[in-house]
Amino acid sequence: MGRTCPLNGLIVDSARQPARKSPAAESPASAARRRFINGVAAAAGGGCLLALGAGLYSRSASALLAQALRPPGALAEDDFLAACVRCGLCVRDCPYHILKLADLGEPVSTGTPYFTARQLPCEMCEDIPCVKACPTGALDRALTDINQARMGLAALVDHESCLNFLGLRCDVCYRVCPAIDKAITLETQHNPRSDRHAMLLPTVHSDACTGCGKCEKSCVLPEAAIKVLPRKLVQGALPAHYRKGWEEKARHGGSLIGEQVELPVRGFEGSTAGRSATETVVAPVVPAPSAAPSAASVPSPKEASGGLRRGLDSHWKP
Amino acid sequence: MARLPVSSSDSSVPRSLWQRQRWLVLRRLSQALVLLAFLSGPWFGLWIAKGNLSSSLTLGVLPLTDPLLALQTLLTGHLPYSAALTGAAIVLGFYLLVGGRVFCGWVCPVNVVTDTAAWTRRRLGIKTGRVPDAATRYWLLGGILVAAAVAGRLAWEWVNPVSLLHRGLIFGMGGGLFVIAGIFVYDVLVASRGWCGHLCPMGAFYGLLGRTALLRVSAAKRSACDDCMDCFAVCPEPQVIRPALKAVGQAGPLILSSDCTTCGRCIDVCDKQVFKMTHRFDQRSE
């Protein structure tokens, strides 16, 4: 047996090479050792590769977690993914069949429970059976009052199509809210478009919203203007060191930094209520007594009595 | 079943269909009943077991949890409630007693898929492919435990085909079917018994529990063996047969390897009735 050396073209007689033994000449123990090492290397490589793949997939899948609303009492998402064994006992004990287990490929970690507010919102059972069913504590039994649940946070995300923002009185999200007047309030604002109506703007308060999803479910629009999303997606946070001056002032009965010199703000004298952003702010003009009242300014009893109100405040009365 | 031509001439009494399929039928029955226990609730309103193999509650009192999953949960740093830990202890005790891989053969739904794949492979006479080392599963088992500890989450549960299939059968599935189809194709075309016998870390884990198994298959009448190789062809872990059947490295006829799933298929296919289901202390051989 001879082979041509690739470097110098010499015929190398492998039989004369003492360093390299042919497989037949190898001792059985050495062959077994080589087989073992090869086997272990292949197994280790394959096994680690598979585990790594699974780990990476779990990472990329959880990067997409986003819209999933967890059952009440669910731990923070990272802890939840450590604790939830995907058994579906919460799904079984939900009397309204709201919860589902995610399937592979859905943008929710495989097998974990979630609900879709727009389809079926949480009914907020007082005895919270889903939490009681959880064997691992992924749903924390420390939650005993369903009103303290924080499944997500409602956000009126679309101001352009919300009927109340258009000046209508829809109010449906407000009316269906289980924590009406606490989690959602209607805030009255002047309607600059009609200039004579109020807008009652549904406003969500994060300290009371459980994220049950009733508002999103019942939004009358084809696509809900109010949506419930995981708190992490919706909620901002002030820096921890921020203090609200007016709150501190009220708490301490006066400003903490003493009285400040108040500088006049030019151009903003008088009422600013109802002023739209596009309005050119002008200083109030005292009309000459001789001038005829303009078409825009409707005289009101107040004006007649000497008070002066101009701009968008039209004093319209039904 | 694909059966290699049996050369035996001194044939004993021809065995009935039941005798030739008994353990397979019993096993399929067991797997179906486990599934039915979970499905009778959603189907008929008769709640026997709730949940799935990962964790369940039977008849409202008996908690059962997959001990491997409980171990992974502990490794992530989360201490589960006592319900899950009790359930894991019960399952652990049961399989330590009966034999770890009894789970694989008698409970696991993927077993039906891979058995079918192995049958297909035999019928089609496919010999190609590359089988990974049987130790790969232990590395994978170690890998998923490390992954749970490092990632701080149950990483394997994203893709675990065993829980994927069982959960899917009970709660509905879509995307998970691709994983199961993948395993089937892999077992048919690439590696004979590739998933259950070489890769599945759950099988590896339950295999580790099998060292003290009471329920064992014995090659009691091994003197009658005519080397037809039917048992080797059908066995999901063929390496476990030789020591018992041919007295290699051991004297007794008991199949002691913890890899044995105690599926009893060797008992079914053996025309010489060499094998029998028995217990660990039954060392008799004829």
Side-chain angles (χ1 to χ4, degrees):
Chain A
M1 281 281 289
R3 290 181 304 159
T4 314
C5 175
L7 285 178
N8 53 19
L10 286 176
I11 304 295
V12 181
D13 187 357
S14 57
R16 281 202 193 153
Q17 279 192 318
R20 186 174 293 174
K21 293 179 192 167
S22 69
E26 218 165 18
S27 75
S30 158
R33 188 161 60 233
R34 181 175 298 170
R35 242 193 340 269
F36 173 77
I37 291 171
N38 279 344
V40 165
C48 292
L49 212 63
L50 272 169
L52 187 73
L56 283 177
Y57 176 66
S58 85
R59 288 240 150 207
S60 71
S62 63
L64 296 165
L65 68 97
Q67 299 92 8
L69 295 178
R70 298 297 185 193
L75 301 175
E77 190 67 13
D78 276 348
D79 299 330
F80 185 79
L81 293 179
C84 174
V85 294
R86 291 106 156 122
C87 66
L89 281 169
C90 53
V91 176
R92 286 291 180 239
D93 279 11
C94 173
Y96 299 97
H97 309 297
I98 286 154
L99 296 174
K100 281 181 292 193
L101 292 184
D103 193 12
L104 190 78
E106 281 178 41
V108 187
S109 315
T110 313
T112 54
Y114 73 102
F115 69 96
T116 310
R118 186 63 167 166
Q119 291 163 10
L120 286 168
C122 175
E123 296 289 338
M124 289 175 61
C125 313
E126 276 185 20
D127 52 348
I128 330 179
C130 50
V131 171
K132 283 183 183 160
C134 181
T136 65
L139 306 181
D140 193 346
R141 284 180 203 165
L143 179 77
T144 50
D145 175 9
I146 188 65
N147 294 308
Q148 299 304 315
R150 295 293 178 261
M151 295 169 265
L153 182 60
L156 211 163
V157 284
D158 190 359
H159 292 186
E160 291 177 336
S161 51
C162 171
L163 296 182
N164 276 35
F165 267 79
L166 296 177
L168 282 80
R169 286 298 304 276
C170 165
D171 300 359
V172 168
C173 55
Y174 162 78
R175 304 247 170 239
V176 298
C177 179
I180 185 170
D181 281 327
K182 292 199 279 287
I184 302 183
T185 56
L186 291 178
E187 300 296 322
T188 311
Q189 274 193 25
H190 177 76
N191 184 339
R193 182 182 54 80
S194 75
D195 194 21
R196 60 184 60 181
H197 300 97
M199 298 188 299
L200 280 79
L201 305 182
T203 306
V204 179
H205 302 277
S206 63
D207 58 340
C209 176
T210 63
C212 71
K214 287 260 172 169
C215 50
E216 182 181 339
K217 162 71 180 166
S218 49
C219 178
V220 300
L221 301 177
E223 180 69 44
I226 190 166
K227 288 192 163 76
V228 179
L229 296 163
R231 291 204 159 219
K232 211 174 174 181
L233 271 184
V234 186
Q235 202 166 19
L238 284 171
H241 65 283
Y242 272 36
R243 297 289 179 273
K244 289 169 184 157
W246 55 95
E247 284 179 0
E248 299 298 318
K249 203 169 171 179
R251 193 176 304 152
H252 298 284
S255 172
L256 294 174
I257 53 171
E259 288 304 315
Q260 303 294 300
V261 178
E262 291 207 15
L263 297 170
V265 185
R266 305 279 176 208
F268 283 89
E269 294 87 353
S271 165
T272 55
R275 211 175 250 144
S276 76
T278 53
E279 181 193 356
T280 315
V281 178
V282 288
V285 180
V286 182
S290 60
S294 72
S297 71
V298 181
S300 72
K302 258 190 178 177
E303 198 174 17
S305 66
L308 187 72
R309 304 275 296 273
R310 295 294 297 267
L312 282 174
D313 193 356
S314 60
H315 303 284
W316 180 87
K317 287 222 167 54
Chain B
M1 288 292 109
R3 292 152 60 77
L4 300 172
V6 179
S7 54
S8 57
S9 48
D10 57 334
S11 183
S12 37
V13 216
R15 299 184 306 144
S16 67
L17 185 67
W18 167 246
Q19 280 171 324
R20 282 184 281 121
Q21 308 290 344
R22 182 163 62 134
W23 292 101
L24 180 67
V25 170
L26 287 177
R27 223 151 47 79
R28 292 289 177 259
L29 212 58
S30 157
Q31 286 160 328
L33 282 177
V34 169
L35 207 53
L36 194 67
F38 288 99
L39 281 171
S40 67
W43 283 0
F44 316 117
L46 179 70
W47 291 98
I48 299 169
K50 280 181 183 175
N52 58 39
L53 288 181
S54 299
S55 192
S56 64
L57 189 64
T58 302
L59 299 173
V61 286
L62 176 68
L64 295 174
T65 303
D66 173 19
L68 176 59
L69 209 45
L71 180 62
Q72 289 177 74
T73 309
L74 288 172
L75 284 173
T76 64
H78 176 82
L79 181 67
Y81 286 145
S82 59
L85 292 176
T86 313
I90 295 172
V91 174
L92 198 68
F94 175 79
Y95 285 115
L96 275 174
L97 210 63
V98 175
R101 295 209 66 194
V102 167
F103 169 80
C104 302
W106 292 77
V107 177
C108 180
V110 177
N111 170 265
V112 184
V113 177
T114 57
D115 273 356
T116 312
W119 178 81
T120 311
R121 195 178 161 90
R122 281 199 303 275
R123 288 305 286 260
L124 298 179
I126 299 170
K127 303 282 182 204
T128 54
R130 188 176 189 282
V131 185
D133 193 279
T136 311
R137 50 184 153 180
Y138 296 106
W139 287 95
L140 193 51
L141 173 62
I144 67 167
L145 293 178
V146 170
V150 171
R153 56 182 60 174
L154 305 176
W156 181 243
E157 285 308 298
W158 261 268
V159 288
N160 182 0
V162 178
S163 58
L164 208 61
L165 180 59
H166 195 255
R167 188 170 55 233
L169 289 170
I170 297 169
F171 291 93
M173 73 194 298
L177 281 173
F178 289 100
V179 175
I180 304 306
I183 285 180
F184 182 81
V185 171
Y186 176 73
D187 265 23
V188 170
L189 296 180
V190 182
S192 169
R193 298 286 180 180
W195 175 255
C196 294
H198 299 82
L199 295 178
C200 179
M202 270 183 96
F205 175 80
Y206 281 98
L208 292 176
L209 303 182
R211 308 203 179 264
T212 54
L214 291 184
L215 190 64
R216 295 279 68 170
V217 173
S218 169
K221 265 169 44 180
R222 56 186 170 185
S223 53
C225 174
D226 61 357
D227 296 332
C228 74
M229 298 293 281
D230 276 1
C231 57
F232 281 92
V234 85
C235 180
E237 300 275 356
Q239 77 279 6
V240 308
I241 297 178
R242 212 165 101 88
L245 187 61
K246 298 296 170 193
V248 178
Q250 71 175 54
L254 279 175
I255 295 177
L256 290 170
S257 167
S258 58
D259 287 341
C260 174
T261 65
T262 325
C263 69
R265 195 68 186 132
C266 51
I267 309 174
D268 283 345
V269 298
C270 181
D271 277 330
K272 297 295 171 192
Q273 298 183 57
V274 166
F275 299 97
K276 67 169 183 180
M277 193 71 77
T278 182
H279 56 81
R280 188 177 196 81
F281 309 106
D282 179 10
Q283 287 287 359
R284 287 168 298 170
S285 78
E286 297 155 30

